[in-house]
Amino acid sequence: MISVSDLSSLYVQQSLLSTLLMGAPELGLVASHLSLSAVCLYSAVRTLQVHRGASAGFLLHAAASAIAIGCDLLWEETEGPSSLHSSSLWVAGIIGLPLLVFSFFWPNGDHLTANLVLGSALLLATFSGYLSQEAQMVASYFTRAGATLAILMISVFTGNSYGVLGSLALAAASFPFFLNAAEIPHFPAEMIRNCVYSVSFLMLHMALRTQISDES
């Protein structure tokens, strides 16, 4: 016969299990942000002696992911284009990715394209205060698409397999249709995106090190 204490113990265990399952998506999201921040920080340190522009680009993404944990997961969530989280993600995309593109083009001697990409990004960031929320979103999408295409193009021409894989992963994580198709119950799209971004930035870091070491 099951006693009252056994029933009470079983109820407590079920309650704890339910709490863990309900909190699993949020814990997974925190883990994905931590993983992305760690990968970007590692890539920033590893590329510091190779190319400081690339190191700065990785560092911007590491900071944006760390800020996401503080603003959206540990503190009360804030919304709107003026929030710290939205601003950090936007800056990481608008300036961080062009810095990576700059790092791919400059060592190959294409200084004109490198300066044009970085100059356009800095100009866009300077006048970001005059852009509406919709304009900022469009600018972010176009910047990511352009950076992905540029890295893919130069990686194909130079035979850099890491760059090809990294740019394809970056493209997959950047397009909304991929997130909608990849969203699985208990696994938010943002978590999947962070994991794909981690793979992408790790590949791009290896691509830069391989490209510059081959040229030297």
Side-chain angles (χ1 to χ4, degrees), residues 30-47:
V30 172
S32 69
H33 277 293
L34 285 174
S35 174
L36 177 57
S37 183
V39 167
C40 291
L41 186 59
Y42 170 80
S43 300
V45 172
R46 293 281 291 172
T47 55

Side-chain angles (χ1 to χ4, degrees), residues 10-84:
L10 181 61
Y11 175 76
V12 171
Q13 291 176 4
Q14 289 179 345
S15 299
L16 290 174
L17 181 60
S18 299
T19 303
L20 289 174
L21 290 176
M22 291 296 292
E26 185 174 354
L27 292 176
L29 189 58
V30 172
S32 69
H33 277 293
L34 285 174
S35 174
L36 177 57
S37 183
V39 167
C40 291
L41 186 59
Y42 170 80
S43 300
V45 172
R46 293 281 291 172
T47 55
L48 181 61
Q49 300 299 326
V50 175
H51 198 285
R52 294 184 179 180
S55 180
F58 287 125
L59 190 60
L60 282 174
H61 283 90
S65 188
I67 289 173
I69 300 174
C71 291
D72 290 349
L73 303 176
L74 301 182
W75 299 336
E76 183 178 357
E77 185 175 356
T78 57
E79 298 181 354
S82 61
S83 68
L84 183 59

Side-chain angles (χ1 to χ4, degrees), residues 150-169:
I151 294 175
L152 177 61
M153 178 184 66
I154 196 168
S155 297
V156 169
F157 286 158
T158 57
N160 194 327
S161 58
Y162 289 122
V164 173
L165 294 175
S167 59
L168 291 178

